[in-house]
mmCIF file with all atom_site columns, all heavy atoms in Angstrom:
data_model
loop_
_atom_site.group_PDB
_atom_site.id
_atom_site.type_symbol
_atom_site.label_atom_id
_atom_site.label_alt_id
_atom_site.label_comp_id
_atom_site.label_asym_id
_atom_site.label_entity_id
_atom_site.label_seq_id
_atom_site.pdbx_PDB_ins_code
_atom_site.Cartn_x
_atom_site.Cartn_y
_atom_site.Cartn_z
_atom_site.occupancy
_atom_site.B_iso_or_equiv
_atom_site.pdbx_formal_charge
_atom_site.auth_seq_id
_atom_site.auth_comp_id
_atom_site.auth_asym_id
_atom_site.auth_atom_id
_atom_site.pdbx_PDB_model_num
ATOM 1   N N   . GLY W 1 76  ? 34.853 4.991  1.322  1.00 0.00 ? 856 GLY W N   1
ATOM 2   C CA  . GLY W 1 76  ? 34.410 4.466  0.044  1.00 0.00 ? 856 GLY W CA  1
ATOM 3   C C   . GLY W 1 76  ? 33.878 3.060  0.209  1.00 0.00 ? 856 GLY W C   1
ATOM 4   O O   . GLY W 1 76  ? 33.777 2.554  1.329  1.00 0.00 ? 856 GLY W O   1
ATOM 5   N N   . ASP W 1 77  ? 33.564 2.419  -0.916 1.00 0.00 ? 857 ASP W N   1
ATOM 6   C CA  . ASP W 1 77  ? 33.060 1.051  -0.855 1.00 0.00 ? 857 ASP W CA  1
ATOM 7   C C   . ASP W 1 77  ? 34.111 0.045  -1.321 1.00 0.00 ? 857 ASP W C   1
ATOM 8   O O   . ASP W 1 77  ? 33.822 -1.119 -1.524 1.00 0.00 ? 857 ASP W O   1
ATOM 9   C CB  . ASP W 1 77  ? 31.750 0.896  -1.639 1.00 0.00 ? 857 ASP W CB  1
ATOM 10  C CG  . ASP W 1 77  ? 31.894 1.239  -3.112 1.00 0.00 ? 857 ASP W CG  1
ATOM 11  O OD1 . ASP W 1 77  ? 32.998 1.646  -3.545 1.00 0.00 ? 857 ASP W OD1 1
ATOM 12  O OD2 . ASP W 1 77  ? 30.894 1.105  -3.837 1.00 0.00 ? 857 ASP W OD2 1
ATOM 13  N N   . ASP W 1 78  ? 35.353 0.516  -1.451 1.00 0.00 ? 858 ASP W N   1
ATOM 14  C CA  . ASP W 1 78  ? 36.463 -0.335 -1.868 1.00 0.00 ? 858 ASP W CA  1
ATOM 15  C C   . ASP W 1 78  ? 37.731 0.227  -1.226 1.00 0.00 ? 858 ASP W C   1
ATOM 16  O O   . ASP W 1 78  ? 37.887 1.445  -1.134 1.00 0.00 ? 858 ASP W O   1
ATOM 17  C CB  . ASP W 1 78  ? 36.587 -0.296 -3.402 1.00 0.00 ? 858 ASP W CB  1
ATOM 18  C CG  . ASP W 1 78  ? 37.571 -1.324 -3.932 1.00 0.00 ? 858 ASP W CG  1
ATOM 19  O OD1 . ASP W 1 78  ? 38.787 -1.189 -3.642 1.00 0.00 ? 858 ASP W OD1 1
ATOM 20  O OD2 . ASP W 1 78  ? 37.135 -2.232 -4.640 1.00 0.00 ? 858 ASP W OD2 1
ATOM 21  N N   . PHE W 1 117 ? 29.242 5.746  -1.652 1.00 0.00 ? 897 PHE W N   1
ATOM 22  C CA  . PHE W 1 117 ? 29.167 4.289  -1.472 1.00 0.00 ? 897 PHE W CA  1
ATOM 23  C C   . PHE W 1 117 ? 28.238 3.649  -2.509 1.00 0.00 ? 897 PHE W C   1
ATOM 24  O O   . PHE W 1 117 ? 27.853 2.492  -2.372 1.00 0.00 ? 897 PHE W O   1
ATOM 25  C CB  . PHE W 1 117 ? 28.663 3.965  -0.060 1.00 0.00 ? 897 PHE W CB  1
ATOM 26  C CG  . PHE W 1 117 ? 29.425 4.677  1.017  1.00 0.00 ? 897 PHE W CG  1
ATOM 27  C CD1 . PHE W 1 117 ? 28.909 5.821  1.622  1.00 0.00 ? 897 PHE W CD1 1
ATOM 28  C CD2 . PHE W 1 117 ? 30.668 4.216  1.440  1.00 0.00 ? 897 PHE W CD2 1
ATOM 29  C CE1 . PHE W 1 117 ? 29.618 6.477  2.618  1.00 0.00 ? 897 PHE W CE1 1
ATOM 30  C CE2 . PHE W 1 117 ? 31.380 4.883  2.430  1.00 0.00 ? 897 PHE W CE2 1
ATOM 31  C CZ  . PHE W 1 117 ? 30.852 6.018  3.021  1.00 0.00 ? 897 PHE W CZ  1
ATOM 32  N N   . PRO W 1 128 ? 23.342 -4.784 0.356  1.00 0.00 ? 908 PRO W N   1
ATOM 33  C CA  . PRO W 1 128 ? 24.220 -4.235 1.398  1.00 0.00 ? 908 PRO W CA  1
ATOM 34  C C   . PRO W 1 128 ? 25.559 -3.778 0.814  1.00 0.00 ? 908 PRO W C   1
ATOM 35  O O   . PRO W 1 128 ? 26.062 -4.398 -0.117 1.00 0.00 ? 908 PRO W O   1
ATOM 36  C CB  . PRO W 1 128 ? 24.419 -5.412 2.357  1.00 0.00 ? 908 PRO W CB  1
ATOM 37  C CG  . PRO W 1 128 ? 23.229 -6.286 2.125  1.00 0.00 ? 908 PRO W CG  1
ATOM 38  C CD  . PRO W 1 128 ? 22.909 -6.141 0.653  1.00 0.00 ? 908 PRO W CD  1
ATOM 39  N N   . VAL W 1 129 ? 26.083 -2.696 1.355  1.00 0.00 ? 909 VAL W N   1
ATOM 40  C CA  . VAL W 1 129 ? 27.358 -2.149 0.913  1.00 0.00 ? 909 VAL W CA  1
ATOM 41  C C   . VAL W 1 129 ? 28.307 -2.119 2.106  1.00 0.00 ? 909 VAL W C   1
ATOM 42  O O   . VAL W 1 129 ? 27.938 -1.692 3.192  1.00 0.00 ? 909 VAL W O   1
ATOM 43  C CB  . VAL W 1 129 ? 27.192 -0.717 0.344  1.00 0.00 ? 909 VAL W CB  1
ATOM 44  C CG1 . VAL W 1 129 ? 28.540 -0.067 0.092  1.00 0.00 ? 909 VAL W CG1 1
ATOM 45  C CG2 . VAL W 1 129 ? 26.360 -0.744 -0.918 1.00 0.00 ? 909 VAL W CG2 1
ATOM 46  N N   . ASN W 1 130 ? 29.538 -2.578 1.889  1.00 0.00 ? 910 ASN W N   1
ATOM 47  C CA  . ASN W 1 130 ? 30.550 -2.543 2.926  1.00 0.00 ? 910 ASN W CA  1
ATOM 48  C C   . ASN W 1 130 ? 31.286 -1.212 2.820  1.00 0.00 ? 910 ASN W C   1
ATOM 49  O O   . ASN W 1 130 ? 32.064 -1.008 1.904  1.00 0.00 ? 910 ASN W O   1
ATOM 50  C CB  . ASN W 1 130 ? 31.504 -3.726 2.734  1.00 0.00 ? 910 ASN W CB  1
ATOM 51  C CG  . ASN W 1 130 ? 32.247 -4.043 3.996  1.00 0.00 ? 910 ASN W CG  1
ATOM 52  O OD1 . ASN W 1 130 ? 31.714 -3.896 5.083  1.00 0.00 ? 910 ASN W OD1 1
ATOM 53  N ND2 . ASN W 1 130 ? 33.476 -4.480 3.856  1.00 0.00 ? 910 ASN W ND2 1
ATOM 54  N N   . ALA W 1 131 ? 30.993 -0.296 3.739  1.00 0.00 ? 911 ALA W N   1
ATOM 55  C CA  . ALA W 1 131 ? 31.657 1.007  3.755  1.00 0.00 ? 911 ALA W CA  1
ATOM 56  C C   . ALA W 1 131 ? 33.018 0.860  4.431  1.00 0.00 ? 911 ALA W C   1
ATOM 57  O O   . ALA W 1 131 ? 33.112 0.270  5.507  1.00 0.00 ? 911 ALA W O   1
ATOM 58  C CB  . ALA W 1 131 ? 30.813 2.018  4.508  1.00 0.00 ? 911 ALA W CB  1
ATOM 59  N N   . ILE W 1 132 ? 34.051 1.395  3.781  1.00 0.00 ? 912 ILE W N   1
ATOM 60  C CA  . ILE W 1 132 ? 35.404 1.359  4.328  1.00 0.00 ? 912 ILE W CA  1
ATOM 61  C C   . ILE W 1 132 ? 35.769 2.786  4.726  1.00 0.00 ? 912 ILE W C   1
ATOM 62  O O   . ILE W 1 132 ? 35.645 3.714  3.920  1.00 0.00 ? 912 ILE W O   1
ATOM 63  C CB  . ILE W 1 132 ? 36.384 0.783  3.289  1.00 0.00 ? 912 ILE W CB  1
ATOM 64  C CG1 . ILE W 1 132 ? 35.976 -0.671 3.011  1.00 0.00 ? 912 ILE W CG1 1
ATOM 65  C CG2 . ILE W 1 132 ? 37.814 0.890  3.784  1.00 0.00 ? 912 ILE W CG2 1
ATOM 66  C CD1 . ILE W 1 132 ? 36.713 -1.313 1.878  1.00 0.00 ? 912 ILE W CD1 1
ATOM 67  N N   . GLU W 1 171 ? 35.380 -1.051 8.896  1.00 0.00 ? 951 GLU W N   1
ATOM 68  C CA  . GLU W 1 171 ? 34.281 -1.275 7.975  1.00 0.00 ? 951 GLU W CA  1
ATOM 69  C C   . GLU W 1 171 ? 32.943 -1.236 8.699  1.00 0.00 ? 951 GLU W C   1
ATOM 70  O O   . GLU W 1 171 ? 32.856 -1.632 9.861  1.00 0.00 ? 951 GLU W O   1
ATOM 71  C CB  . GLU W 1 171 ? 34.455 -2.628 7.289  1.00 0.00 ? 951 GLU W CB  1
ATOM 72  C CG  . GLU W 1 171 ? 35.781 -2.717 6.529  1.00 0.00 ? 951 GLU W CG  1
ATOM 73  C CD  . GLU W 1 171 ? 36.073 -4.093 5.963  1.00 0.00 ? 951 GLU W CD  1
ATOM 74  O OE1 . GLU W 1 171 ? 35.172 -4.657 5.331  1.00 0.00 ? 951 GLU W OE1 1
ATOM 75  O OE2 . GLU W 1 171 ? 37.190 -4.577 6.181  1.00 0.00 ? 951 GLU W OE2 1
ATOM 76  N N   . MET W 1 172 ? 31.928 -0.736 8.004  1.00 0.00 ? 952 MET W N   1
ATOM 77  C CA  . MET W 1 172 ? 30.557 -0.719 8.516  1.00 0.00 ? 952 MET W CA  1
ATOM 78  C C   . MET W 1 172 ? 29.654 -1.135 7.357  1.00 0.00 ? 952 MET W C   1
ATOM 79  O O   . MET W 1 172 ? 29.804 -0.625 6.249  1.00 0.00 ? 952 MET W O   1
ATOM 80  C CB  . MET W 1 172 ? 30.147 0.690  8.963  1.00 0.00 ? 952 MET W CB  1
ATOM 81  C CG  . MET W 1 172 ? 30.887 1.239  10.153 1.00 0.00 ? 952 MET W CG  1
ATOM 82  S SD  . MET W 1 172 ? 30.114 0.680  11.688 1.00 0.00 ? 952 MET W SD  1
ATOM 83  C CE  . MET W 1 172 ? 31.328 1.204  12.895 1.00 0.00 ? 952 MET W CE  1
ATOM 84  N N   . GLU W 1 173 ? 28.735 -2.058 7.606  1.00 0.00 ? 953 GLU W N   1
ATOM 85  C CA  . GLU W 1 173 ? 27.822 -2.476 6.557  1.00 0.00 ? 953 GLU W CA  1
ATOM 86  C C   . GLU W 1 173 ? 26.622 -1.534 6.502  1.00 0.00 ? 953 GLU W C   1
ATOM 87  O O   . GLU W 1 173 ? 25.991 -1.255 7.517  1.00 0.00 ? 953 GLU W O   1
ATOM 88  C CB  . GLU W 1 173 ? 27.341 -3.909 6.784  1.00 0.00 ? 953 GLU W CB  1
ATOM 89  C CG  . GLU W 1 173 ? 26.540 -4.431 5.600  1.00 0.00 ? 953 GLU W CG  1
ATOM 90  C CD  . GLU W 1 173 ? 26.039 -5.852 5.786  1.00 0.00 ? 953 GLU W CD  1
ATOM 91  O OE1 . GLU W 1 173 ? 25.421 -6.140 6.834  1.00 0.00 ? 953 GLU W OE1 1
ATOM 92  O OE2 . GLU W 1 173 ? 26.259 -6.653 4.871  1.00 0.00 ? 953 GLU W OE2 1
ATOM 93  N N   . LEU W 1 174 ? 26.345 -1.024 5.289  1.00 0.00 ? 954 LEU W N   1
ATOM 94  C CA  . LEU W 1 174 ? 25.192 -0.163 5.060  1.00 0.00 ? 954 LEU W CA  1
ATOM 95  C C   . LEU W 1 174 ? 24.116 -1.006 4.376  1.00 0.00 ? 954 LEU W C   1
ATOM 96  O O   . LEU W 1 174 ? 24.394 -1.682 3.376  1.00 0.00 ? 954 LEU W O   1
ATOM 97  C CB  . LEU W 1 174 ? 25.575 1.011  4.152  1.00 0.00 ? 954 LEU W CB  1
ATOM 98  C CG  . LEU W 1 174 ? 26.706 1.904  4.645  1.00 0.00 ? 954 LEU W CG  1
ATOM 99  C CD1 . LEU W 1 174 ? 27.079 2.942  3.590  1.00 0.00 ? 954 LEU W CD1 1
ATOM 100 C CD2 . LEU W 1 174 ? 26.319 2.595  5.952  1.00 0.00 ? 954 LEU W CD2 1
#
Side-chain angles (χ1 to χ4, degrees):
D857 60 358
D858 189 294
F897 309 101
V909 171
N910 200 34
I912 296 172
E951 301 173 48
M952 294 275 170
E953 188 180 51
L954 302 174

